[in-house]
Amino acid sequence: MDEKVTVLIPSYNPGKYLRNAVESVLNQTYHGWKMVIVDDASTDDSLSTIQDYLSDPRIFLLKNKQNLGQSKTQNAGLEQIDTPFTMMLDSDDWFFPDTLEILMNEAKSLSDEVALICGKKTIIIENMEGEVVYKILDIKGRSFDDPYEFLLENFIPYPRFYRTSALKKVGGWPTDDPYEGRYLEDRRMDVLLIKDYKIKWIDKMLYNYRKHINNVTVNKKAILNEMIKWNIHYALNKWGNKFEPQFSINKNGWVELSSLLPKKLDTDS
């Protein structure tokens, strides 16, 4: 069968979780997939845990010679992708068995204006021993076609099922921020796409998102909050510099956009 979607897995020291991620793709009810794993110079034994799967002709492994960070790693993977759709899978997360089937069926009915399809996710919280403490069903979401509405919603799409042509048209994941694309690459891509494309949310449970002691979101909150502000300023400037953002901190300590104030026209010129 002709493959229609490539699952892109950027991987850096995921340990035992990588095998779980790969197996969740192998166990899909939809079979028209390829997989590109890009190892970002891992120093653990994660690649050895999937060695028995690498003989599968649908699976392509690419190894960075040095650690490049998230965006550059994903761009290296994007260069290898020739399918109409690209599905992101973090190396410590996993799909439900019908995730790709649901998304491919949805994609058939959508126009080329839709660059990203997302849905509902289950958040799995683990303690230091790797034991599941509790689960949260993240079931809220909506579709977007207006850039400013998207920013004001503070919405983070998950999972991320992209139209590959849209990813390539905007130049892949950007690296022109202070950290050269190491952080918040997903939100940086969002603001590039929402300017000219639509984001479609569907009312389906699609993704298992694991939170554990090694998560970047757990350990790098100060940097991520800095980048949230940076990315919003970047987007507003790119969209015509019409508004001044106002920020707040939510109950979990994350920066959010609270409002957009119209900039005053310069009447002196």
Side-chain angles (χ1 to χ4, degrees):
M1 104 185 277
D2 292 333
E3 290 84 0
K4 300 295 184 183
V5 58
T6 299
V7 178
L8 175 56
I9 305 179
S11 185
Y12 177 67
N13 288 350
K16 61 183 180 181
Y17 298 132
L18 179 60
R19 186 175 179 88
N20 185 211
V22 170
E23 287 180 341
S24 78
V25 182
L26 289 164
N27 293 331
Q28 289 297 296
T29 56
Y30 176 82
H31 301 294
W33 55 263
K34 295 180 181 180
M35 188 190 312
V36 173
I37 304 168
V38 188
D39 182 77
D40 194 16
S42 291
T43 56
D44 67 0
D45 64 348
S46 53
L47 289 182
S48 68
T49 69
I50 61 165
Q51 199 65 40
D52 53 328
Y53 292 135
L54 297 180
S55 59
D56 190 317
R58 298 169 297 176
I59 300 175
F60 177 77
L61 173 64
L62 183 66
K63 297 180 184 179
N64 293 343
K65 293 181 179 179
Q66 61 187 35
N67 184 266
L68 300 177
Q70 200 79 0
S71 290
K72 292 178 182 179
T73 294
Q74 292 177 188
N75 285 335
L78 183 60
E79 290 180 5
Q80 307 298 322
I81 295 175
D82 58 4
T83 54
F85 299 100
T86 299
M87 177 70 170
M88 296 304 306
L89 176 58
D90 288 340
S91 57
D92 51 0
D93 296 338
W94 71 99
F95 295 153
F96 291 98
D98 58 354
T99 292
L100 292 182
E101 184 174 359
I102 290 171
L103 287 164
M104 286 304 304
N105 285 337
E106 185 69 25
K108 292 175 185 176
S109 65
L110 298 177
S111 72
D112 291 349
E113 293 179 317
V114 176
L116 171 59
I117 307 174
C118 56
K120 300 188 288 190
K121 69 179 183 288
T122 300
I123 303 172
I124 295 90
I125 312 295
E126 293 186 354
N127 61 20
M128 294 181 68
E129 286 72 42
E131 300 167 334
V132 177
V133 179
Y134 56 92
K135 297 182 179 181
I136 303 170
L137 300 183
D138 186 359
I139 59 175
K140 293 183 179 179
R142 54 166 288 204
S143 300
F144 295 91
D145 58 13
D146 180 88
Y148 299 106
E149 283 185 11
F150 176 75
L151 277 190
L152 286 166
E153 195 73 16
N154 295 289
F155 178 63
I156 306 173
Y158 255 94
R160 294 170 176 274
F161 182 90
Y162 293 107
R163 191 174 300 278
T164 305
S165 59
L167 289 177
K168 294 188 175 183
K169 187 173 181 180
V170 300
W173 286 271
T175 59
D176 58 349
D177 59 79
Y179 298 98
E180 297 184 349
R182 286 187 175 271
Y183 305 106
L184 221 72
E185 81 295 332
D186 45 7
R187 296 207 200 186
R188 297 224 52 212
M189 178 56 74
D190 292 341
V191 300
L192 293 182
L193 293 177
I194 194 61
K195 178 65 172 64
D196 297 309
Y197 295 94
K198 297 178 181 180
I199 295 175
K200 173 71 174 180
W201 181 85
I202 59 176
D203 188 16
K204 300 284 186 180
M205 185 62 71
L206 299 170
Y207 197 82
N208 291 287
Y209 174 78
R210 192 193 313 264
K211 280 193 174 183
H212 54 87
I213 196 67
N214 294 321
N215 274 125
V216 170
T217 50
V218 173
N219 296 303
K220 302 283 188 178
K221 182 174 280 189
I223 291 176
L224 293 174
N225 273 338
E226 173 194 341
M227 277 301 302
I228 290 170
K229 288 184 176 181
W230 190 97
N231 189 49
I232 290 172
H233 279 289
Y234 168 90
L236 293 173
N237 286 334
K238 195 175 182 68
W239 300 344
N241 202 23
K242 300 174 183 177
F243 297 97
E244 189 67 41
Q246 305 297 304
F247 298 103
S248 60
I249 303 291
N250 68 20
K251 63 181 180 180
N252 295 317
W254 291 105
V255 167
E256 290 188 342
L257 178 65
S258 54
S259 63
L260 292 172
L261 301 181
K263 284 195 172 182
K264 295 179 181 179
L265 293 174
D266 185 357
T267 56
D268 296 332
S269 56

Short mmCIF file of all heavy atoms in Angstrom, two decimals, residues 116-121 138-144 147-160 186-188 190-191 194 199-202 228 231-232 255-257:
data_model
loop_
_atom_site.label_atom_id
_atom_site.label_comp_id
_atom_site.label_asym_id
_atom_site.label_seq_id
_atom_site.Cartn_x
_atom_site.Cartn_y
_atom_site.Cartn_z
N LEU A 116 -3.00 21.64 10.07
CA LEU A 116 -2.76 20.90 11.30
C LEU A 116 -4.08 20.37 11.85
O LEU A 116 -5.04 21.11 11.97
CB LEU A 116 -2.10 21.83 12.34
CG LEU A 116 -1.94 21.34 13.78
CD1 LEU A 116 -1.12 20.06 13.83
CD2 LEU A 116 -1.29 22.42 14.64
N ILE A 117 -4.09 19.07 12.14
CA ILE A 117 -5.24 18.45 12.80
C ILE A 117 -4.80 18.01 14.18
O ILE A 117 -3.72 17.42 14.35
CB ILE A 117 -5.77 17.24 12.01
CG1 ILE A 117 -6.04 17.60 10.55
CG2 ILE A 117 -7.03 16.69 12.67
CD1 ILE A 117 -6.42 16.41 9.69
N CYS A 118 -5.63 18.28 15.19
CA CYS A 118 -5.32 17.90 16.56
C CYS A 118 -6.59 17.38 17.22
O CYS A 118 -7.66 17.36 16.61
CB CYS A 118 -4.74 19.07 17.34
SG CYS A 118 -5.79 20.55 17.36
N GLY A 119 -6.51 16.97 18.47
CA GLY A 119 -7.68 16.44 19.17
C GLY A 119 -7.46 16.37 20.66
O GLY A 119 -6.77 17.21 21.23
N LYS A 120 -7.99 15.33 21.28
CA LYS A 120 -7.90 15.19 22.73
C LYS A 120 -6.73 14.29 23.11
O LYS A 120 -6.30 13.45 22.33
CB LYS A 120 -9.21 14.62 23.27
CG LYS A 120 -10.42 15.49 22.97
CD LYS A 120 -11.68 15.02 23.67
CE LYS A 120 -12.23 13.76 23.09
NZ LYS A 120 -13.59 13.45 23.63
N LYS A 121 -6.23 14.49 24.32
CA LYS A 121 -5.11 13.67 24.78
C LYS A 121 -5.32 13.24 26.23
O LYS A 121 -6.08 13.87 26.99
CB LYS A 121 -3.79 14.41 24.65
CG LYS A 121 -3.59 15.59 25.59
CD LYS A 121 -2.21 16.22 25.36
CE LYS A 121 -1.91 17.36 26.31
NZ LYS A 121 -2.70 18.58 26.04
N ASP A 138 -7.47 15.44 28.88
CA ASP A 138 -7.48 16.80 28.33
C ASP A 138 -8.39 16.79 27.11
O ASP A 138 -7.99 16.39 26.02
CB ASP A 138 -6.06 17.20 27.94
CG ASP A 138 -5.95 18.65 27.51
OD1 ASP A 138 -6.99 19.34 27.49
OD2 ASP A 138 -4.83 19.09 27.17
N ILE A 139 -9.63 17.22 27.32
CA ILE A 139 -10.66 17.02 26.28
C ILE A 139 -11.17 18.32 25.68
O ILE A 139 -12.04 18.30 24.82
CB ILE A 139 -11.85 16.22 26.85
CG1 ILE A 139 -12.48 16.95 28.04
CG2 ILE A 139 -11.40 14.83 27.26
CD1 ILE A 139 -13.73 16.28 28.58
N LYS A 140 -10.61 19.46 26.10
CA LYS A 140 -11.10 20.74 25.57
C LYS A 140 -10.29 21.16 24.37
O LYS A 140 -9.08 20.95 24.30
CB LYS A 140 -11.04 21.82 26.66
CG LYS A 140 -11.99 21.59 27.82
CD LYS A 140 -11.91 22.73 28.82
CE LYS A 140 -12.89 22.52 29.98
NZ LYS A 140 -12.82 23.61 30.97
N GLY A 141 -10.98 21.78 23.42
CA GLY A 141 -10.29 22.29 22.24
C GLY A 141 -11.27 22.89 21.26
O GLY A 141 -12.49 22.81 21.45
N ARG A 142 -10.74 23.49 20.22
CA ARG A 142 -11.56 24.07 19.16
C ARG A 142 -10.70 24.28 17.93
O ARG A 142 -9.47 24.19 17.99
CB ARG A 142 -12.18 25.39 19.61
CG ARG A 142 -11.17 26.41 20.12
CD ARG A 142 -11.74 27.81 20.23
NE ARG A 142 -11.94 28.42 18.94
CZ ARG A 142 -11.98 29.76 18.74
NH1 ARG A 142 -11.87 30.57 19.76
NH2 ARG A 142 -12.16 30.25 17.55
N SER A 143 -11.37 24.53 16.82
CA SER A 143 -10.67 24.81 15.57
C SER A 143 -10.42 26.30 15.43
O SER A 143 -11.12 27.13 16.04
CB SER A 143 -11.49 24.30 14.39
OG SER A 143 -11.69 22.90 14.47
N PHE A 144 -9.43 26.66 14.62
CA PHE A 144 -9.06 28.06 14.45
C PHE A 144 -8.77 28.38 12.99
O PHE A 144 -8.19 27.56 12.26
CB PHE A 144 -7.79 28.39 15.26
CG PHE A 144 -7.96 28.28 16.74
CD1 PHE A 144 -7.69 27.08 17.39
CD2 PHE A 144 -8.39 29.35 17.50
CE1 PHE A 144 -7.84 26.96 18.76
CE2 PHE A 144 -8.55 29.25 18.87
CZ PHE A 144 -8.26 28.04 19.50
N PRO A 147 -5.62 34.18 13.28
CA PRO A 147 -4.38 34.15 14.05
C PRO A 147 -4.50 34.74 15.45
O PRO A 147 -3.95 34.19 16.42
CB PRO A 147 -3.40 34.98 13.20
CG PRO A 147 -3.95 34.91 11.82
CD PRO A 147 -5.44 34.85 11.97
N TYR A 148 -5.19 35.86 15.56
CA TYR A 148 -5.28 36.53 16.87
C TYR A 148 -6.16 35.76 17.85
O TYR A 148 -5.86 35.69 19.04
CB TYR A 148 -5.78 37.98 16.68
CG TYR A 148 -4.86 38.80 15.82
CD1 TYR A 148 -5.20 39.13 14.50
CD2 TYR A 148 -3.63 39.24 16.30
CE1 TYR A 148 -4.34 39.86 13.70
CE2 TYR A 148 -2.76 39.98 15.51
CZ TYR A 148 -3.13 40.29 14.21
OH TYR A 148 -2.27 41.02 13.42
N GLU A 149 -7.24 35.18 17.35
CA GLU A 149 -8.07 34.33 18.21
C GLU A 149 -7.26 33.15 18.72
O GLU A 149 -7.39 32.74 19.89
CB GLU A 149 -9.29 33.83 17.43
CG GLU A 149 -10.39 34.84 17.25
CD GLU A 149 -11.62 34.24 16.59
OE1 GLU A 149 -11.67 32.98 16.47
OE2 GLU A 149 -12.51 34.99 16.19
N PHE A 150 -6.42 32.60 17.86
CA PHE A 150 -5.60 31.47 18.27
C PHE A 150 -4.64 31.88 19.39
O PHE A 150 -4.51 31.17 20.39
CB PHE A 150 -4.82 30.93 17.07
CG PHE A 150 -3.87 29.82 17.42
CD1 PHE A 150 -4.34 28.55 17.70
CD2 PHE A 150 -2.50 30.06 17.51
CE1 PHE A 150 -3.47 27.53 18.05
CE2 PHE A 150 -1.63 29.04 17.86
CZ PHE A 150 -2.11 27.77 18.13
N LEU A 151 -3.98 33.00 19.24
CA LEU A 151 -3.05 33.45 20.27
C LEU A 151 -3.76 33.68 21.61
O LEU A 151 -3.28 33.26 22.66
CB LEU A 151 -2.36 34.76 19.85
CG LEU A 151 -1.15 34.71 18.94
CD1 LEU A 151 -0.51 36.08 18.85
CD2 LEU A 151 -0.13 33.67 19.38
N LEU A 152 -4.90 34.34 21.55
CA LEU A 152 -5.63 34.69 22.78
C LEU A 152 -6.19 33.47 23.50
O LEU A 152 -6.46 33.54 24.70
CB LEU A 152 -6.74 35.68 22.46
CG LEU A 152 -6.27 37.11 22.17
CD1 LEU A 152 -7.39 37.92 21.52
CD2 LEU A 152 -5.80 37.79 23.46
N GLU A 153 -6.37 32.38 22.79
CA GLU A 153 -6.91 31.17 23.42
C GLU A 153 -5.85 30.44 24.24
O GLU A 153 -6.18 29.58 25.07
CB GLU A 153 -7.46 30.24 22.34
CG GLU A 153 -8.34 29.13 22.85
CD GLU A 153 -9.72 29.61 23.31
OE1 GLU A 153 -10.11 30.74 22.96
OE2 GLU A 153 -10.39 28.84 24.01
N ASN A 154 -4.56 30.76 24.02
CA ASN A 154 -3.46 30.06 24.70
C ASN A 154 -3.59 28.54 24.54
O ASN A 154 -3.33 27.76 25.46
CB ASN A 154 -3.41 30.43 26.19
CG ASN A 154 -3.08 31.89 26.41
OD1 ASN A 154 -1.96 32.33 26.19
ND2 ASN A 154 -4.08 32.67 26.82
N PHE A 155 -4.00 28.16 23.35
CA PHE A 155 -4.28 26.74 23.06
C PHE A 155 -3.02 26.08 22.52
O PHE A 155 -2.34 26.63 21.66
CB PHE A 155 -5.42 26.63 22.05
CG PHE A 155 -5.76 25.23 21.64
CD1 PHE A 155 -6.23 24.33 22.56
CD2 PHE A 155 -5.59 24.82 20.31
CE1 PHE A 155 -6.55 23.02 22.18
CE2 PHE A 155 -5.91 23.53 19.92
CZ PHE A 155 -6.39 22.63 20.87
N ILE A 156 -2.72 24.88 23.03
CA ILE A 156 -1.57 24.10 22.56
C ILE A 156 -2.09 22.85 21.86
O ILE A 156 -2.59 21.93 22.53
CB ILE A 156 -0.64 23.71 23.72
CG1 ILE A 156 -0.23 24.96 24.51
CG2 ILE A 156 0.59 22.98 23.19
CD1 ILE A 156 0.54 24.64 25.77
N PRO A 157 -2.05 22.79 20.54
CA PRO A 157 -2.58 21.63 19.82
C PRO A 157 -1.82 20.34 20.14
O PRO A 157 -0.59 20.33 20.18
CB PRO A 157 -2.39 22.01 18.35
CG PRO A 157 -2.25 23.50 18.34
CD PRO A 157 -1.56 23.83 19.62
N TYR A 158 -2.56 19.28 20.37
CA TYR A 158 -2.01 17.93 20.55
C TYR A 158 -3.06 16.93 20.09
O TYR A 158 -4.24 17.16 20.34
CB TYR A 158 -1.69 17.65 22.03
CG TYR A 158 -0.22 17.70 22.37
CD1 TYR A 158 0.37 18.86 22.84
CD2 TYR A 158 0.58 16.57 22.21
CE1 TYR A 158 1.72 18.90 23.15
CE2 TYR A 158 1.93 16.60 22.53
CZ TYR A 158 2.50 17.77 23.00
OH TYR A 158 3.84 17.81 23.29
N PRO A 159 -2.64 15.87 19.43
CA PRO A 159 -1.32 15.68 18.84
C PRO A 159 -1.15 16.58 17.64
O PRO A 159 -2.02 17.43 17.36
CB PRO A 159 -1.33 14.20 18.44
CG PRO A 159 -2.77 13.94 18.12
CD PRO A 159 -3.56 14.78 19.08
N ARG A 160 -0.09 16.38 16.88
CA ARG A 160 0.20 17.28 15.76
C ARG A 160 0.32 16.48 14.47
O ARG A 160 1.34 15.86 14.18
CB ARG A 160 1.49 18.06 16.05
CG ARG A 160 1.30 19.01 17.22
CD ARG A 160 2.58 19.64 17.70
NE ARG A 160 2.27 20.59 18.76
CZ ARG A 160 1.94 21.86 18.57
NH1 ARG A 160 1.88 22.34 17.33
NH2 ARG A 160 1.64 22.64 19.57
N ASP A 186 7.11 23.61 18.88
CA ASP A 186 5.74 23.35 18.46
C ASP A 186 4.94 24.65 18.35
O ASP A 186 4.25 24.89 17.37
CB ASP A 186 5.05 22.36 19.40
CG ASP A 186 5.29 22.66 20.88
OD1 ASP A 186 5.89 23.71 21.21
OD2 ASP A 186 4.88 21.84 21.72
N ARG A 187 5.06 25.50 19.35
CA ARG A 187 4.32 26.78 19.31
C ARG A 187 4.88 27.72 18.26
O ARG A 187 4.15 28.52 17.69
CB ARG A 187 4.37 27.45 20.69
CG ARG A 187 3.68 26.66 21.78
CD ARG A 187 3.20 27.60 22.86
NE ARG A 187 2.95 26.92 24.11
CZ ARG A 187 2.42 27.51 25.17
NH1 ARG A 187 2.12 28.80 25.14
NH2 ARG A 187 2.21 26.85 26.28
N ARG A 188 6.16 27.62 18.00
CA ARG A 188 6.74 28.45 16.95
C ARG A 188 6.16 28.06 15.59
O ARG A 188 5.87 28.91 14.76
CB ARG A 188 8.26 28.32 16.94
CG ARG A 188 8.91 28.82 18.23
CD ARG A 188 10.12 29.67 17.99
NE ARG A 188 9.86 30.74 17.05
CZ ARG A 188 10.76 31.24 16.20
NH1 ARG A 188 11.97 30.73 16.17
NH2 ARG A 188 10.46 32.22 15.40
N ASP A 190 3.21 26.71 15.19
CA ASP A 190 1.80 27.12 15.22
C ASP A 190 1.60 28.51 14.63
O ASP A 190 0.71 28.73 13.80
CB ASP A 190 1.26 27.13 16.66
CG ASP A 190 1.16 25.74 17.26
OD1 ASP A 190 1.16 24.75 16.50
OD2 ASP A 190 1.08 25.65 18.50
N VAL A 191 2.43 29.46 15.07
CA VAL A 191 2.21 30.85 14.63
C VAL A 191 2.62 31.05 13.17
O VAL A 191 2.13 31.97 12.51
CB VAL A 191 2.93 31.87 15.54
CG1 VAL A 191 2.42 31.75 16.97
CG2 VAL A 191 4.44 31.73 15.49
N ILE A 194 -0.75 29.32 11.34
CA ILE A 194 -2.08 29.92 11.52
C ILE A 194 -2.22 31.21 10.73
O ILE A 194 -3.34 31.66 10.48
CB ILE A 194 -2.38 30.15 13.03
CG1 ILE A 194 -3.86 30.46 13.26
CG2 ILE A 194 -1.49 31.26 13.58
CD1 ILE A 194 -4.82 29.38 12.84
N ILE A 199 -6.32 25.50 11.57
CA ILE A 199 -6.05 24.42 12.50
C ILE A 199 -7.38 23.75 12.84
O ILE A 199 -8.33 24.42 13.25
CB ILE A 199 -5.37 24.94 13.79
CG1 ILE A 199 -3.97 25.49 13.46
CG2 ILE A 199 -5.26 23.83 14.84
CD1 ILE A 199 -3.27 26.14 14.63
N LYS A 200 -7.45 22.46 12.64
CA LYS A 200 -8.69 21.71 12.83
C LYS A 200 -8.58 20.85 14.09
O LYS A 200 -7.67 20.03 14.22
CB LYS A 200 -8.96 20.82 11.61
CG LYS A 200 -10.14 19.87 11.76
CD LYS A 200 -11.48 20.58 11.75
CE LYS A 200 -12.63 19.60 11.76
NZ LYS A 200 -13.94 20.25 11.75
N TRP A 201 -9.52 21.02 15.03
CA TRP A 201 -9.61 20.18 16.22
C TRP A 201 -10.75 19.20 16.05
O TRP A 201 -11.83 19.57 15.58
CB TRP A 201 -9.86 21.05 17.45
CG TRP A 201 -9.94 20.29 18.74
CD1 TRP A 201 -8.90 19.91 19.53
CD2 TRP A 201 -11.13 19.84 19.41
NE1 TRP A 201 -9.36 19.24 20.64
CE2 TRP A 201 -10.73 19.17 20.60
CE3 TRP A 201 -12.50 19.92 19.12
CZ2 TRP A 201 -11.64 18.61 21.48
CZ3 TRP A 201 -13.41 19.34 20.00
CH2 TRP A 201 -12.98 18.71 21.17
N ILE A 202 -10.51 17.94 16.41
CA ILE A 202 -11.57 16.95 16.33
C ILE A 202 -11.82 16.34 17.71
O ILE A 202 -10.91 16.22 18.53
CB ILE A 202 -11.26 15.84 15.29
CG1 ILE A 202 -9.96 15.10 15.62
CG2 ILE A 202 -11.19 16.44 13.90
CD1 ILE A 202 -9.67 13.94 14.68
N ILE A 228 7.71 31.64 25.53
CA ILE A 228 6.29 31.90 25.24
C ILE A 228 6.11 33.38 24.92
O ILE A 228 5.46 33.74 23.91
CB ILE A 228 5.41 31.49 26.43
CG1 ILE A 228 5.38 29.96 26.56
CG2 ILE A 228 3.98 32.02 26.26
CD1 ILE A 228 4.73 29.46 27.84
N ASN A 231 7.87 34.26 21.54
CA ASN A 231 7.15 33.76 20.37
C ASN A 231 5.93 34.60 20.05
O ASN A 231 5.60 34.83 18.88
CB ASN A 231 6.74 32.31 20.60
CG ASN A 231 6.19 31.65 19.35
OD1 ASN A 231 6.77 31.72 18.28
ND2 ASN A 231 5.03 31.02 19.49
N ILE A 232 5.24 35.07 21.08
CA ILE A 232 4.07 35.92 20.85
C ILE A 232 4.48 37.27 20.27
O ILE A 232 3.86 37.78 19.33
CB ILE A 232 3.25 36.08 22.15
CG1 ILE A 232 2.57 34.74 22.49
CG2 ILE A 232 2.23 37.20 22.03
CD1 ILE A 232 1.90 34.70 23.83
N VAL A 255 3.22 31.34 31.74
CA VAL A 255 2.86 32.60 31.12
C VAL A 255 1.73 32.37 30.13
O VAL A 255 1.74 31.41 29.36
CB VAL A 255 4.08 33.21 30.39
CG1 VAL A 255 3.65 34.34 29.46
CG2 VAL A 255 5.10 33.71 31.39
N GLU A 256 0.74 33.26 30.15
CA GLU A 256 -0.35 33.24 29.18
C GLU A 256 -0.57 34.63 28.62
O GLU A 256 -0.28 35.63 29.28
CB GLU A 256 -1.64 32.72 29.81
CG GLU A 256 -1.61 31.25 30.16
CD GLU A 256 -2.97 30.72 30.61
OE1 GLU A 256 -3.84 31.55 30.98
OE2 GLU A 256 -3.16 29.49 30.58
N LEU A 257 -1.09 34.69 27.41
CA LEU A 257 -1.49 35.96 26.81
C LEU A 257 -2.88 36.30 27.34
O LEU A 257 -3.83 35.55 27.13
CB LEU A 257 -1.51 35.84 25.29
CG LEU A 257 -1.96 37.07 24.51
CD1 LEU A 257 -0.99 38.23 24.71
CD2 LEU A 257 -2.11 36.74 23.03
#
